[in-house]
Amino acid sequence: MAPLSLLWLFASLNVAFASSQVKHSLSGVPDGWIQTLDVLPPTQGINLRFGLAHGFSTIESLLQDISDPSHPNYGNHLSKEEVHILSAPTDDTLHKVQAWLSAHDANSMTWSPAKDSVSAVLSVSSAEEMLSTRFSLFEHTKTGERIVRALSYSLPDFLLDHIDFVHPTTAFLDPRRHGLREIGVRHTAREAGPSPLNQSDFISCVTIMDPPCVRSVYNIGNYTPDASLPNHLGVAGYLNISARQDSLRLYLDDYIPESVGSNYTFDVVNITGPFEPQTGVDEGNLDTQLAIQVAYPIPMTYYTTNSIPPSLGEDGDPPGINEPYLNFIDYIMGLDDPPTVITTSYGDDVRSFVQISWITLLRSAKASQNWEPGKFLFPGDSGLGVGSAPLCIANTGNNASTFLPNFPASCPYVTTVGESFGPQDGSGGFVPQMAESDSGAGFSNYFDRPSYQDAVVSAYLDGPANANETPEQARMYNHRGRAFPDMVLIGSGAFFDSFFNRWDIGGGTSASVPTAAGIIALLNDWRLRHGKPTMGFLNPFLYGVGSAGFTDITEGTVDGCEQPGFNATAGWDPASGLGYPNFQKLQELALL
Ligand SMILES: *[C@@H]1O[C@H](CO)[C@@H](O)[C@H](O)[C@H]1NC(C)=O
Ligand SMILES: *[C@@H]1O[C@H](CO)[C@@H](O)[C@H](O)[C@H]1NC(C)=O
Ligand SMILES: *[C@@H]1O[C@H](CO)[C@@H](O)[C@H](O)[C@H]1NC(C)=O
Ligand SMILES: *[C@@H]1O[C@H](CO)[C@@H](O)[C@H](O)[C@H]1NC(C)=O
Ligand SMILES: *[C@@H]1O[C@H](CO)[C@@H](O)[C@H](O)[C@H]1NC(C)=O
Ligand SMILES: *[C@@H]1O[C@H](CO)[C@@H](O)[C@H](O)[C@H]1NC(C)=O
């Protein structure tokens, strides 16, 4: 390492004289926001995260081998240390960025575990000088929420290749997407009224998808996992949503006979510290209960990452936390022994994620190939776009009409679970399943189609189910993008979950994703029993040898943006992915 003083001088000289180049800019204020005239005090602190350039290609090709069942390295997960070394930026990058930040009096510098990003508190005036920009307060027209952003930013020439992104700058996150109504729980319809639901008013597998029914629909039989194996189910929570031990106990007592009298509880980790719990929201209870319904007694941890609306802190105070996914993933990346599967019932629309998608991509990739593999399951929600046509507009300033793929669901390195629909006509329940019209589906605008799904997605696009695609529909999505979902599970059917001491009915992808995670936990158990490592990043298995372990869904359609949607058909389709899992078939395939 060169003497720091020299680097400082170098950095200062460059700041003073170097020309800079625009890193990212928007052609106008994004749809749904107005720029206020309020002036930001120049001495006020702003917390910026700088993503550093690093060699992603090595990690990416290792990930392909480690997650490909036909490769000799299948399941040879990297250690946390190996992942960190592989994803570390070069010393040159580290030194340049560190010196540049120090020269501008950056405070509270916090490095990610792999040193591939750093957050720092800067004064508004320093940040504006460093990025040759002006920060303003923007107000969201619907919610009144105010955030600090810029319409463009630049980097000095000598840093252009060393920094991938700076956040928050030009990424406008729609606060509605962080709101409870529309994230996962959007579908969690709770029965109103003062009196609790009476379980005996429902008939298993006809009007209610209770645990015995889940076992039969997904062909789980009486498979019982071994709690002493190194297997561990993670449930992610955001937005100050908590999960209750007493509610889980009630659920176990009623539905899992072998748990009665046990002392089973889940662990809780508050990644961002204790928080003000949201009351009246049962997402956390639904997620923990439906994840454990088939996976009991595998150990389970509920991780909360509370979110504080993006904002400036008071002068000198730590500013708000913007991107809870990153806090969560940074935490998981720092664990020696992360969960073997992680379920997340939260997501956003992707308009604003031009840059954030990249950081989360890197983290997801690392975490999912990782050491004892953290594997992420994310929901696909909201059909092809949020709400109706006027909202299906790109926020790049050109008002183009577009489907709005969910994120992180559209990331190639997570497994995306949509919801399917059981007829519920009283004729016998939840099979055959159909595609659910407002389950999330689509094609990423930012991520190319990964090789693991290329054959089946191309077959869909060129096949009979898509034969009548109109030019108007074709313009709404990126035919070469990562396509999702990967699989679907019943969501629209009813599920009981225990909330305090009453019973509620929840559903949607918030039911599908944790149920899928429980099934994956069983497959990991099965492999561990045979002396094999857990599955890690699933998708190459799912689209390869594992595809025979799914029951195809050929009926129904998914739609949105007031457009005719994608049709379910034989084989993979955007309406139902590969179909729904058949555990006992997957069990055989998982050992091949
Ligand atoms: C639920 O319904 C059953 C049968 O109709 C009845 O016996 C029971 O008392 C009810 N329980 C509650 C809590 O209302
Ligand atoms: C729970 O019970 C098991 C055996 O039944 C015992 O080994 C374990 O120590 C108990 N845990 C707690 C926290 O009491
Ligand atoms: C996590 O935060 C919640 C809410 O503030 C609190 O009730 C709980 O005790 C905390 N748990 C841990 C393990 O810190
Ligand atoms: C979450 O809890 C934190 C810490 O108590 C609080 O600052 C924040 O406003 C809460 N957020 C929500 C959405 O309730
Ligand atoms: C986009 O729409 C907004 C509001 O309707 C309008 O003010 C703006 O001029 C449009 N921009 C373009 C590039 O058409
Ligand atoms: C989907 O199926 C419907 C009904 O058969 C048909 O009208 C529509 O054209 C199909 N969509 C595409 C894109 O082919």
Side-chain angles (χ1 to χ4, degrees):
M1 189 178 193
L4 207 52
S5 53
L6 265 184
L7 279 166
W8 277 37
L9 178 63
F10 171 65
S12 316
L13 281 174
N14 271 287
V15 168
F17 302 115
S19 62
S20 60
Q21 285 187 45
V22 173
K23 187 74 179 173
H24 192 246
S25 75
L26 302 172
S27 51
V29 177
D31 184 43
W33 295 89
I34 51 168
Q35 187 168 12
T36 73
L37 297 175
D38 294 0
V39 175
L40 297 169
T43 56
Q44 192 152 18
I46 179 169
N47 191 359
L48 294 176
R49 190 187 270 259
F50 299 82
L52 275 54
H54 58 83
F56 181 58
S57 53
T58 316
I59 287 255
E60 198 176 29
S61 71
L62 276 171
L63 172 64
Q64 262 168 30
D65 300 348
I66 292 170
S67 51
D68 173 3
S70 67
H71 197 278
N73 275 341
Y74 182 54
N76 288 340
H77 304 297
L78 302 177
S79 70
K80 174 183 80 178
E81 288 74 20
E82 286 170 322
V83 172
H84 290 175
I85 289 167
L86 284 167
S87 51
T90 63
D91 284 352
D92 185 36
T93 297
L94 279 175
H95 294 165
K96 282 187 172 135
V97 173
Q98 191 152 23
W100 184 56
L101 291 173
S102 302
H104 287 89
D105 298 327
N107 285 313
S108 322
M109 274 195 241
T110 312
W111 292 85
S112 66
K115 290 212 177 328
D116 54 351
S117 81
V118 55
S119 332
V121 178
L122 290 144
S123 69
V124 166
S125 62
S126 288
E128 289 183 338
E129 184 196 325
M130 292 162 79
L131 304 175
S132 311
T133 188
R134 258 310 144 233
F135 282 100
S136 306
L137 271 172
F138 291 83
E139 187 170 302
H140 189 252
T141 47
K142 288 247 167 65
T143 61
E145 184 180 329
R146 291 183 153 211
I147 60 174
V148 174
R149 287 295 185 277
L151 292 178
S152 97
Y153 74 100
S154 300
L155 288 171
D157 288 343
F158 77 100
L159 286 174
L160 208 57
D161 294 336
H162 297 282
I163 293 181
D164 281 346
F165 65 85
V166 183
H167 179 75
T169 50
T170 49
F172 285 72
L173 306 178
D174 182 342
R176 285 169 300 166
R177 303 305 301 154
H178 287 280
L180 291 169
R181 288 186 318 281
E182 295 189 335
I183 300 183
V185 267
R186 196 177 69 88
H187 295 292
T188 307
R190 265 188 291 126
E191 209 70 358
S195 55
L197 295 177
N198 188 337
Q199 285 162 283
S200 49
D201 293 340
F202 294 82
I203 307 163
S204 175
C205 246
V206 176
T207 54
I208 194 77
M209 185 93 181
D210 55 6
C213 179
V214 165
R215 284 188 172 266
S216 97
V217 168
Y218 301 116
N219 196 24
I220 295 167
N222 55 7
Y223 189 92
T224 308
D226 178 351
S228 69
L229 292 170
N231 199 6
H232 180 194
L233 189 52
V235 179
Y238 299 94
L239 301 168
N240 296 8
I241 292 171
S242 60
R244 298 179 60 96
Q245 303 284 2
D246 55 357
S247 299
L248 182 79
R249 176 42 56 194
L250 179 62
Y251 183 87
L252 292 176
D253 283 349
D254 273 37
Y255 283 123
I256 317 287
E258 62 273 29
S259 77
V260 176
S262 77
N263 57 9
Y264 186 88
T265 54
F266 53 88
D267 289 332
V268 177
V269 176
N270 293 333
I271 292 172
T272 37
F275 55 88
E276 202 61 58
Q278 295 257 12
T279 53
V281 179
D282 67 349
E283 179 70 50
N285 292 314
L286 188 71
D287 294 346
T288 45
Q289 290 164 29
L290 297 193
I292 209 64
Q293 65 179 327
V294 297
Y296 178 86
I298 293 173
M300 175 166 69
T301 304
Y302 184 71
Y303 298 95
T304 66
T305 314
N306 62 22
S307 51
I308 303 165
S311 62
L312 278 182
E314 295 305 310
D315 211 353
D317 283 346
I321 295 166
N322 284 291
E323 230 297 74
Y325 298 125
L326 273 182
N327 295 317
F328 172 68
I329 290 168
D330 274 352
Y331 176 84
I332 296 290
M333 293 267 314
L335 294 177
D336 288 321
D337 240 350
T340 43
V341 59
I342 297 172
T343 170
T344 308
S345 291
Y346 302 76
D348 293 85
D349 87 46
V350 84
R351 281 188 293 183
S352 316
F353 275 103
V354 187
Q355 301 165 68
I356 291 186
S357 55
W358 287 103
I359 33 186
T360 311
L361 158 73
L362 300 176
R363 297 303 193 293
S364 313
K366 286 183 293 185
S368 49
Q369 75 158 14
N370 65 17
W371 66 106
E372 269 321 299
K375 214 210 56 51
F376 292 85
L377 298 182
F378 276 95
D381 261 333
S382 313
L384 303 177
V386 183
S388 52
L391 287 171
C392 294
I393 289 176
N395 75 344
T396 46
N398 64 358
N399 293 353
S401 193
T402 178
F403 291 150
L404 298 174
N406 300 135
F407 185 81
S410 55
C411 173
Y413 301 104
V414 303
T415 298
T416 303
V417 180
E419 65 178 292
S420 51
F421 177 77
Q424 277 188 283
D425 54 5
S427 65
F430 298 96
V431 278
Q433 294 183 23
M434 294 173 66
E436 164 65 55
S437 64
D438 71 348
S439 180
F443 293 77
S444 173
N445 290 321
Y446 303 114
F447 302 113
D448 286 341
R449 182 146 61 247
S451 57
Y452 60 72
Q453 62 169 198
D454 198 36
V456 293
V457 176
S458 303
Y460 172 82
L461 289 171
D462 299 339
N466 198 40
N468 297 330
E469 181 169 79
T470 60
E472 196 184 24
Q473 192 186 1
R475 276 195 297 274
M476 297 289 284
Y477 69 98
N478 169 22
H479 291 61
R480 287 175 311 170
R482 189 282 201 241
F484 66 98
D486 301 308
M487 66 171 95
V488 293
L489 277 82
I490 288 275
S492 313
F495 293 81
F496 276 125
D497 66 290
S498 147
F499 184 45
F500 290 81
N501 58 355
R502 52 172 279 186
W503 289 96
D504 278 331
I505 292 199
T509 46
S510 288
S512 311
V513 191
T515 307
I519 292 172
I520 302 306
L522 296 186
L523 292 175
N524 281 333
D525 180 90
W526 182 239
R527 281 181 54 85
L528 288 166
R529 277 175 202 233
H530 289 81
K532 294 175 184 290
T534 56
M535 301 181 92
F537 176 51
L538 280 177
N539 296 4
F541 165 78
L542 298 180
Y543 285 88
V545 66
S547 64
F550 286 85
T551 305
D552 197 9
I553 292 177
T554 55
E555 302 264 321
T557 185
V558 59
D559 50 37
C561 298
E562 293 177 357
Q563 287 280 327
F566 296 112
N567 293 325
T569 184
W572 184 92
D573 53 70
S576 65
L578 295 162
Y580 62 94
N582 178 327
F583 173 72
Q584 290 182 17
K585 278 194 188 168
L586 286 167
Q587 213 183 337
E588 286 169 31
L589 300 167
L591 293 184
L592 289 184

